[in-house]
Amino acid sequence: GAAIQGGILWEGSAMGGALVAVGQQTWDLVLIDVTPLSLGIELEGGSMAVIIERNTMLPAKKVKTYTTVYEGQASVYIPIFEGERPIARKNNRLGSLLLSGIPMAPAGIPQIDVTFKIDSNGILQVTAMDQ
């Protein structure tokens, strides 16, 4: 879910002069939906690759490109996490996806775009596509 970060802005007496004159104050409240934790994937070796950093305003969309680790790798398993720790398994696992049908190629040649998209309701959608 999304955290709500609030900010209170005071409109000085020049803008709210009439109300200030009778002893009242006016306040504008600005609410900003943000991601409470960083969102990312687990890389080979167990590290967490952050795709959307915590406190990113919603809605948000980020794309990062990754590649295969092994020669002739036809599929990629992508675990999805939220959290701030550098080791993925120490964060909260949200789910995973499997991208298959990658054409046979040497390691490091396929380009895989991983997209994280969060709508204004805080719903996360993760997609992966081989270029």
Coordinates of all heavy atoms in Angstrom, one line a residue, residues 13-92:
S13 N -0.4 36.3 5.9 CA -1.5 37.3 6.1 C -1.8 38.0 4.8 O -2.9 38.6 4.7 CB -1.1 38.2 7.2 OG 0.0 38.9 6.9
A14 N -0.9 38.1 3.9 CA -1.1 38.8 2.6 C -2.3 38.1 1.8 O -3.1 38.8 1.2 CB 0.1 38.9 1.7
M15 N -2.3 36.8 1.9 CA -3.3 36.0 1.1 C -4.6 35.8 2.0 O -5.7 35.8 1.5 CB -2.8 34.7 0.7 CG -1.7 34.8 -0.4 SD -1.2 33.2 -0.8 CE -1.2 33.4 -2.6
G16 N -4.4 35.6 3.3 CA -5.5 35.3 4.1 C -5.8 36.5 5.1 O -6.2 36.3 6.2
G17 N -5.5 37.7 4.6 CA -5.6 38.9 5.5 C -6.9 39.1 6.2 O -7.0 39.4 7.4
A18 N -8.0 38.9 5.5 CA -9.3 39.1 6.1 C -9.6 38.1 7.3 O -10.1 38.5 8.3 CB -10.4 39.0 5.1
L19 N -9.2 36.9 7.1 CA -9.4 35.9 8.2 C -8.4 36.2 9.4 O -8.8 36.0 10.5 CB -9.2 34.5 7.7 CG -10.3 34.1 6.7 CD1 -10.0 32.7 6.1 CD2 -11.7 34.1 7.3
V20 N -7.2 36.5 9.0 CA -6.2 36.8 10.1 C -6.6 38.0 10.9 O -6.5 38.0 12.1 CB -4.8 37.0 9.5 CG1 -3.8 37.5 10.6 CG2 -4.3 35.7 8.8
A21 N -7.2 39.0 10.3 CA -7.7 40.2 11.0 C -8.7 39.9 12.1 O -8.7 40.6 13.1 CB -8.2 41.2 10.0
V22 N -9.5 38.8 11.9 CA -10.5 38.5 12.9 C -10.0 37.4 13.8 O -10.8 36.8 14.5 CB -11.9 38.2 12.3 CG1 -12.4 39.4 11.6 CG2 -11.7 37.0 11.3
G23 N -8.7 37.0 13.8 CA -8.1 36.1 14.7 C -8.2 34.6 14.2 O -7.9 33.7 15.0
Q24 N -8.5 34.4 12.9 CA -8.5 33.0 12.4 C -7.3 32.8 11.5 O -6.8 33.8 10.9 CB -9.8 32.8 11.6 CG -11.0 32.9 12.4 CD -12.3 32.6 11.6 OE1 -12.2 32.5 10.4 NE2 -13.5 32.6 12.3
Q25 N -6.9 31.6 11.3 CA -5.8 31.2 10.4 C -6.4 30.3 9.4 O -7.2 29.5 9.6 CB -4.7 30.5 11.2 CG -4.1 31.4 12.2 CD -3.0 30.6 13.0 OE1 -2.9 29.4 12.9 NE2 -2.2 31.4 13.8
T26 N -5.8 30.4 8.2 CA -6.2 29.5 7.1 C -5.0 28.6 6.8 O -3.8 29.0 6.8 CB -6.6 30.2 5.8 OG1 -5.5 31.0 5.4 CG2 -7.8 31.1 6.0
W27 N -5.3 27.3 6.5 CA -4.2 26.3 6.3 C -4.6 25.5 5.0 O -5.8 25.2 4.8 CB -4.1 25.3 7.4 CG -3.7 26.0 8.7 CD1 -4.5 26.5 9.6 CD2 -2.4 26.1 9.2 NE1 -3.8 27.0 10.7 CE2 -2.4 26.8 10.4 CE3 -1.1 25.8 8.7 CZ2 -1.3 27.1 11.2 CZ3 0.0 26.1 9.4 CH2 -0.1 26.8 10.7
D28 N -3.7 25.3 4.2 CA -3.9 24.4 3.0 C -3.2 23.1 3.4 O -2.0 23.1 3.8 CB -3.3 24.9 1.7 CG -4.1 26.1 1.2 OD1 -5.3 26.1 1.5 OD2 -3.5 26.9 0.5
L29 N -3.9 22.0 3.2 CA -3.3 20.7 3.4 C -3.0 20.0 2.1 O -3.9 19.8 1.3 CB -4.3 19.8 4.3 CG -3.8 18.5 4.7 CD1 -2.6 18.6 5.6 CD2 -5.0 17.7 5.4
V30 N -1.8 19.5 2.0 CA -1.4 18.8 0.7 C -1.1 17.4 1.1 O -0.2 17.1 1.9 CB -0.2 19.5 0.1 CG1 0.3 18.7 -1.1 CG2 -0.5 20.9 -0.3
L31 N -1.8 16.4 0.5 CA -1.5 15.0 0.8 C -0.9 14.4 -0.4 O -1.4 14.6 -1.5 CB -2.8 14.3 1.1 CG -3.6 14.7 2.4 CD1 -4.9 13.9 2.5 CD2 -2.7 14.4 3.6
I32 N 0.2 13.7 -0.2 CA 0.9 13.1 -1.3 C 1.0 11.6 -1.0 O 1.6 11.2 0.0 CB 2.3 13.7 -1.4 CG1 2.2 15.2 -1.6 CG2 3.1 13.1 -2.6 CD1 3.6 15.9 -1.6
D33 N 0.5 10.8 -1.9 CA 0.7 9.3 -1.8 C 2.1 9.0 -2.3 O 2.5 9.4 -3.3 CB -0.3 8.6 -2.7 CG -1.7 8.5 -2.0 OD1 -1.8 8.8 -0.8 OD2 -2.7 8.2 -2.7
V34 N 2.8 8.2 -1.4 CA 4.1 7.7 -1.8 C 4.3 6.2 -1.5 O 3.4 5.7 -0.7 CB 5.2 8.5 -1.0 CG1 5.1 10.0 -1.3 CG2 5.0 8.3 0.5
T35 N 5.3 5.6 -2.0 CA 5.6 4.2 -1.7 C 6.3 4.2 -0.3 O 7.2 5.0 -0.1 CB 6.5 3.6 -2.7 OG1 7.7 4.4 -2.8 CG2 5.9 3.5 -4.1
P36 N 5.8 3.4 0.6 CA 6.4 3.4 1.9 C 7.8 2.7 2.0 O 8.6 3.0 2.8 CB 5.4 2.7 2.8 CG 4.7 1.8 1.8 CD 4.6 2.5 0.5
L37 N 8.0 1.8 1.1 CA 9.2 1.0 1.0 C 9.7 0.9 -0.4 O 8.9 1.1 -1.4 CB 9.0 -0.4 1.5 CG 8.6 -0.6 3.0 CD1 8.1 -2.0 3.3 CD2 9.7 -0.2 3.9
S38 N 11.0 0.7 -0.6 CA 11.5 0.5 -1.9 C 11.0 -0.8 -2.5 O 10.7 -1.8 -1.8 CB 13.1 0.4 -1.9 OG 13.6 1.6 -1.4
L39 N 10.9 -0.8 -3.8 CA 10.4 -2.0 -4.5 C 11.4 -2.5 -5.5 O 12.0 -1.6 -6.2 CB 9.1 -1.7 -5.3 CG 7.9 -1.3 -4.4 CD1 6.8 -0.6 -5.2 CD2 7.4 -2.4 -3.6
G40 N 11.7 -3.8 -5.6 CA 12.7 -4.2 -6.6 C 12.6 -5.7 -6.8 O 11.7 -6.4 -6.4
I41 N 13.7 -6.2 -7.4 CA 13.8 -7.7 -7.7 C 15.1 -8.2 -7.1 O 16.0 -7.5 -6.8 CB 13.7 -7.9 -9.2 CG1 14.9 -7.2 -9.9 CG2 12.4 -7.4 -9.8 CD1 15.0 -7.6 -11.4
E42 N 15.1 -9.5 -7.0 CA 16.3 -10.2 -6.6 C 17.2 -10.6 -7.8 O 16.7 -11.1 -8.8 CB 16.0 -11.5 -5.8 CG 17.2 -12.3 -5.3 CD 16.8 -13.5 -4.5 OE1 15.6 -13.9 -4.5 OE2 17.7 -14.1 -3.9
L43 N 18.4 -10.2 -7.7 CA 19.4 -10.6 -8.8 C 20.1 -11.9 -8.4 O 20.1 -12.4 -7.3 CB 20.4 -9.4 -8.9 CG 19.9 -8.1 -9.3 CD1 21.0 -7.1 -9.4 CD2 19.1 -8.1 -10.6
E44 N 20.8 -12.4 -9.4 CA 21.7 -13.6 -9.2 C 22.6 -13.3 -8.1 O 23.3 -12.2 -8.1 CB 22.4 -13.9 -10.5 CG 23.3 -15.1 -10.4 CD 22.5 -16.4 -10.4 OE1 21.3 -16.4 -10.8 OE2 23.1 -17.4 -10.1
G45 N 22.8 -14.1 -7.1 CA 23.6 -13.9 -6.0 C 22.8 -13.4 -4.8 O 23.4 -13.3 -3.7
G46 N 21.6 -13.0 -4.9 CA 20.7 -12.7 -3.8 C 20.6 -11.2 -3.5 O 19.9 -10.9 -2.5
S47 N 21.2 -10.3 -4.2 CA 21.1 -8.9 -3.9 C 19.8 -8.3 -4.4 O 19.2 -8.8 -5.3 CB 22.3 -8.1 -4.4 OG 22.3 -8.2 -5.8
M48 N 19.4 -7.2 -3.7 CA 18.2 -6.6 -4.1 C 18.5 -5.4 -5.0 O 19.3 -4.6 -4.7 CB 17.5 -6.0 -2.8 CG 16.4 -5.0 -3.0 SD 14.8 -5.9 -3.0 CE 13.8 -4.5 -2.7
A49 N 17.8 -5.4 -6.2 CA 18.0 -4.4 -7.2 C 16.7 -3.5 -7.1 O 15.6 -3.9 -7.4 CB 18.1 -4.9 -8.6
V50 N 16.9 -2.3 -6.5 CA 15.7 -1.4 -6.3 C 15.3 -0.8 -7.7 O 16.2 -0.3 -8.4 CB 16.1 -0.3 -5.3 CG1 15.0 0.7 -5.2 CG2 16.4 -0.9 -3.9
I51 N 14.1 -0.9 -8.0 CA 13.5 -0.3 -9.2 C 12.7 1.0 -8.9 O 12.9 2.0 -9.5 CB 12.7 -1.3 -10.0 CG1 13.6 -2.5 -10.4 CG2 12.0 -0.6 -11.1 CD1 12.9 -3.6 -11.2
I52 N 11.9 1.0 -7.8 CA 11.2 2.2 -7.3 C 11.7 2.4 -5.9 O 11.5 1.6 -5.0 CB 9.7 2.0 -7.4 CG1 9.2 1.9 -8.9 CG2 9.0 3.2 -6.8 CD1 7.7 1.8 -9.1
E53 N 12.3 3.6 -5.7 CA 12.8 3.9 -4.3 C 11.6 4.3 -3.4 O 10.6 4.8 -3.9 CB 13.8 5.0 -4.4 CG 15.0 4.6 -5.2 CD 16.1 5.7 -5.2 OE1 15.9 6.7 -4.5 OE2 17.1 5.6 -5.9
R54 N 11.8 4.1 -2.1 CA 10.8 4.5 -1.2 C 10.6 6.0 -1.2 O 11.4 6.8 -1.7 CB 11.2 4.1 0.3 CG 12.2 4.9 0.9 CD 12.5 4.5 2.3 NE 13.7 5.2 2.7 CZ 14.3 5.0 3.9 NH1 13.8 4.1 4.7 NH2 15.4 5.6 4.2
N55 N 9.4 6.4 -0.9 CA 8.9 7.8 -0.9 C 8.8 8.4 -2.3 O 8.7 9.6 -2.5 CB 9.8 8.7 0.0 CG 9.7 8.4 1.4 OD1 8.6 8.0 1.9 ND2 10.7 8.5 2.2
T56 N 8.7 7.5 -3.3 CA 8.4 7.9 -4.7 C 6.9 8.3 -4.7 O 6.1 7.5 -4.3 CB 8.7 6.8 -5.7 OG1 10.1 6.5 -5.6 CG2 8.4 7.3 -7.1
M57 N 6.6 9.4 -5.3 CA 5.2 9.9 -5.4 C 4.5 9.0 -6.4 O 5.0 8.5 -7.4 CB 5.1 11.3 -5.9 CG 5.6 12.3 -4.9 SD 5.5 14.1 -5.3 CE 4.7 14.2 -6.9
L58 N 3.2 8.7 -6.1 CA 2.3 7.9 -6.9 C 1.4 8.8 -7.7 O 1.0 9.9 -7.3 CB 1.4 7.0 -6.0 CG 2.2 6.1 -5.1 CD1 1.2 5.2 -4.4 CD2 3.1 5.2 -5.9
P59 N 1.0 8.4 -8.9 CA 1.4 7.1 -9.6 C 2.9 7.2 -10.0 O 3.4 8.3 -10.2 CB 0.5 7.0 -10.7 CG 0.1 8.5 -11.0 CD 0.1 9.2 -9.7
A60 N 3.5 6.0 -10.2 CA 4.9 5.9 -10.7 C 5.1 4.8 -11.6 O 4.4 3.8 -11.6 CB 5.8 5.7 -9.4
K61 N 6.0 5.0 -12.5 CA 6.4 3.9 -13.5 C 7.9 4.0 -13.7 O 8.4 5.1 -14.0 CB 5.6 4.1 -14.8 CG 6.0 3.0 -15.8 CD 5.2 3.2 -17.1 CE 5.6 2.2 -18.1 NZ 4.9 2.4 -19.4
K62 N 8.6 2.9 -13.5 CA 10.0 2.8 -13.7 C 10.4 1.6 -14.5 O 9.8 0.5 -14.3 CB 10.8 2.8 -12.4 CG 10.6 3.9 -11.5 CD 11.3 5.2 -11.9 CE 11.0 6.3 -11.0 NZ 12.0 7.1 -10.4
V63 N 11.3 1.7 -15.4 CA 11.8 0.6 -16.2 C 13.3 0.4 -16.1 O 14.0 1.4 -16.2 CB 11.4 0.8 -17.7 CG1 11.9 -0.4 -18.6 CG2 9.9 1.0 -17.9
K64 N 13.8 -0.8 -15.8 CA 15.2 -1.0 -15.8 C 15.5 -2.3 -16.7 O 14.7 -3.2 -16.8 CB 15.7 -1.3 -14.4 CG 15.7 0.0 -13.5 CD 16.6 0.0 -12.4 CE 16.7 1.3 -11.7 NZ 17.5 1.2 -10.5
T65 N 16.7 -2.3 -17.3 CA 17.0 -3.3 -18.2 C 18.1 -4.3 -17.5 O 19.0 -3.8 -16.9 CB 17.6 -2.8 -19.5 OG1 16.6 -1.9 -20.1 CG2 17.9 -3.8 -20.5
Y66 N 17.8 -5.6 -17.6 CA 18.7 -6.6 -17.1 C 19.0 -7.6 -18.2 O 18.5 -7.5 -19.3 CB 18.0 -7.3 -15.9 CG 17.7 -6.4 -14.8 CD1 16.5 -5.7 -14.7 CD2 18.7 -6.1 -13.8 CE1 16.2 -4.8 -13.6 CE2 18.5 -5.2 -12.8 CZ 17.2 -4.6 -12.7 OH 17.0 -3.7 -11.7
T67 N 19.9 -8.5 -17.9 CA 20.3 -9.5 -18.9 C 20.4 -10.9 -18.3 O 20.2 -11.0 -17.1 CB 21.6 -9.1 -19.6 OG1 21.8 -10.0 -20.7 CG2 22.8 -9.2 -18.6
T68 N 20.6 -11.9 -19.1 CA 20.8 -13.3 -18.6 C 22.1 -13.5 -18.0 O 23.1 -12.8 -18.3 CB 20.5 -14.3 -19.8 OG1 21.4 -14.0 -20.8 CG2 19.1 -14.2 -20.3
V69 N 22.2 -14.6 -17.2 CA 23.5 -14.9 -16.6 C 24.2 -16.1 -17.2 O 25.4 -16.2 -17.2 CB 23.2 -15.2 -15.1 CG1 24.5 -15.6 -14.3 CG2 22.6 -14.0 -14.4
Y70 N 23.4 -17.0 -17.8 CA 23.9 -18.2 -18.4 C 23.7 -18.3 -19.9 O 22.8 -17.7 -20.4 CB 23.2 -19.4 -17.7 CG 23.2 -19.4 -16.2 CD1 22.1 -19.1 -15.5 CD2 24.4 -19.7 -15.6 CE1 22.1 -19.1 -14.1 CE2 24.4 -19.7 -14.2 CZ 23.3 -19.4 -13.5 OH 23.4 -19.4 -12.1
E71 N 24.7 -19.0 -20.5 CA 24.6 -19.1 -22.0 C 23.4 -20.0 -22.3 O 23.1 -21.0 -21.7 CB 25.9 -19.8 -22.4 CG 25.9 -20.0 -23.9 CD 27.3 -19.7 -24.5 OE1 28.1 -19.2 -23.8 OE2 27.4 -20.0 -25.7
G72 N 22.6 -19.5 -23.3 CA 21.5 -20.3 -23.8 C 20.3 -20.2 -22.9 O 19.4 -21.1 -23.0
Q73 N 20.3 -19.3 -21.9 CA 19.2 -19.2 -20.9 C 17.9 -18.9 -21.6 O 17.7 -17.8 -22.2 CB 19.6 -18.2 -19.9 CG 18.7 -18.2 -18.7 CD 19.2 -17.3 -17.6 OE1 20.4 -16.8 -17.6 NE2 18.4 -16.9 -16.6
A74 N 16.9 -19.8 -21.5 CA 15.6 -19.6 -22.2 C 14.5 -18.9 -21.4 O 13.5 -18.5 -21.9 CB 15.1 -20.9 -22.8
S75 N 14.8 -18.9 -20.0 CA 13.8 -18.2 -19.2 C 14.5 -17.5 -18.0 O 15.6 -17.8 -17.7 CB 12.8 -19.3 -18.6 OG 13.5 -20.2 -17.8
V76 N 13.8 -16.6 -17.4 CA 14.3 -15.9 -16.2 C 13.2 -15.9 -15.2 O 12.1 -15.5 -15.4 CB 14.6 -14.4 -16.6 CG1 15.1 -13.6 -15.4 CG2 15.7 -14.4 -17.7
Y77 N 13.6 -16.3 -14.0 CA 12.7 -16.2 -12.8 C 13.0 -14.9 -12.1 O 14.1 -14.6 -11.7 CB 12.9 -17.4 -11.9 CG 12.1 -17.5 -10.6 CD1 10.8 -17.7 -10.6 CD2 12.7 -17.3 -9.4 CE1 10.0 -17.7 -9.5 CE2 12.0 -17.3 -8.2 CZ 10.7 -17.5 -8.3 OH 9.9 -17.5 -7.1
I78 N 11.9 -14.1 -11.8 CA 12.1 -12.8 -11.2 C 11.3 -12.7 -9.9 O 10.1 -12.4 -9.9 CB 11.7 -11.7 -12.2 CG1 12.4 -11.8 -13.5 CG2 11.9 -10.3 -11.6 CD1 11.9 -10.9 -14.6
P79 N 12.0 -12.8 -8.8 CA 11.3 -12.6 -7.5 C 11.2 -11.1 -7.2 O 12.1 -10.4 -7.4 CB 12.2 -13.3 -6.4 CG 13.3 -14.0 -7.2 CD 13.3 -13.4 -8.6
I80 N 10.0 -10.7 -6.7 CA 9.7 -9.3 -6.4 C 9.7 -9.0 -4.9 O 9.0 -9.8 -4.2 CB 8.4 -8.9 -7.1 CG1 8.5 -9.2 -8.6 CG2 8.0 -7.5 -6.8 CD1 7.1 -9.4 -9.2
F81 N 10.3 -8.0 -4.4 CA 10.4 -7.7 -3.0 C 10.1 -6.2 -2.7 O 10.3 -5.4 -3.6 CB 11.8 -8.0 -2.5 CG 12.2 -9.4 -2.5 CD1 12.7 -10.1 -3.6 CD2 12.0 -10.2 -1.3 CE1 13.0 -11.4 -3.5 CE2 12.3 -11.5 -1.3 CZ 12.8 -12.2 -2.4
E82 N 9.8 -5.9 -1.4 CA 9.7 -4.6 -0.9 C 10.6 -4.5 0.3 O 10.6 -5.5 1.1 CB 8.3 -4.1 -0.6 CG 7.6 -4.8 0.5 CD 6.3 -4.3 0.9 OE1 5.8 -3.3 0.3 OE2 5.6 -4.9 1.8
G83 N 11.3 -3.4 0.5 CA 12.1 -3.3 1.7 C 13.4 -2.5 1.4 O 13.7 -2.1 0.3
E84 N 14.2 -2.3 2.5 CA 15.3 -1.4 2.4 C 16.7 -2.2 2.5 O 17.7 -1.6 2.4 CB 15.3 -0.3 3.4 CG 14.0 0.5 3.4 CD 13.8 1.1 2.0 OE1 14.7 1.5 1.3 OE2 12.6 1.0 1.5
R85 N 16.6 -3.5 2.8 CA 17.8 -4.2 3.0 C 18.5 -4.6 1.7 O 17.8 -4.9 0.7 CB 17.5 -5.5 3.9 CG 17.0 -5.1 5.3 CD 17.0 -6.3 6.2 NE 16.7 -5.8 7.5 CZ 15.6 -6.2 8.2 NH1 14.7 -6.9 7.6 NH2 15.4 -5.7 9.4
P86 N 19.8 -4.6 1.7 CA 20.5 -5.0 0.4 C 20.4 -6.4 0.0 O 20.6 -6.7 -1.2 CB 22.0 -4.6 0.7 CG 22.1 -4.5 2.2 CD 20.7 -4.2 2.7
I87 N 20.1 -7.3 0.9 CA 19.9 -8.7 0.6 C 18.4 -9.0 0.5 O 17.7 -8.7 1.4 CB 20.5 -9.7 1.7 CG1 22.0 -9.3 2.0 CG2 20.3 -11.1 1.4 CD1 22.9 -9.5 0.9
A88 N 18.1 -9.4 -0.7 CA 16.6 -9.6 -1.1 C 15.9 -10.4 -0.1 O 14.8 -10.1 0.3 CB 16.5 -10.1 -2.5
R89 N 16.4 -11.6 0.3 CA 15.6 -12.5 1.2 C 15.3 -11.9 2.6 O 14.5 -12.4 3.3 CB 16.3 -13.8 1.3 CG 17.7 -13.8 1.9 CD 18.3 -15.2 2.0 NE 19.7 -15.2 2.3 CZ 20.2 -15.0 3.5 NH1 19.3 -14.9 4.6 NH2 21.5 -14.9 3.8
K90 N 16.0 -10.8 2.9 CA 15.8 -10.2 4.2 C 14.6 -9.1 4.1 O 14.3 -8.5 5.1 CB 17.0 -9.5 4.7 CG 18.1 -10.6 5.1 CD 19.3 -10.0 5.8 CE 20.2 -11.1 6.2 NZ 21.4 -10.5 6.9
N91 N 14.1 -9.0 2.9 CA 13.0 -8.0 2.7 C 11.7 -8.8 2.6 O 11.7 -10.1 2.6 CB 13.2 -7.2 1.4 CG 14.4 -6.3 1.5 OD1 14.5 -5.5 2.5 ND2 15.3 -6.3 0.6
N92 N 10.6 -8.1 2.4 CA 9.3 -8.8 2.3 C 9.0 -9.2 0.8 O 9.0 -8.3 -0.1 CB 8.2 -7.8 2.7 CG 6.8 -8.4 2.7 OD1 6.7 -9.6 2.9 ND2 5.8 -7.6 2.4

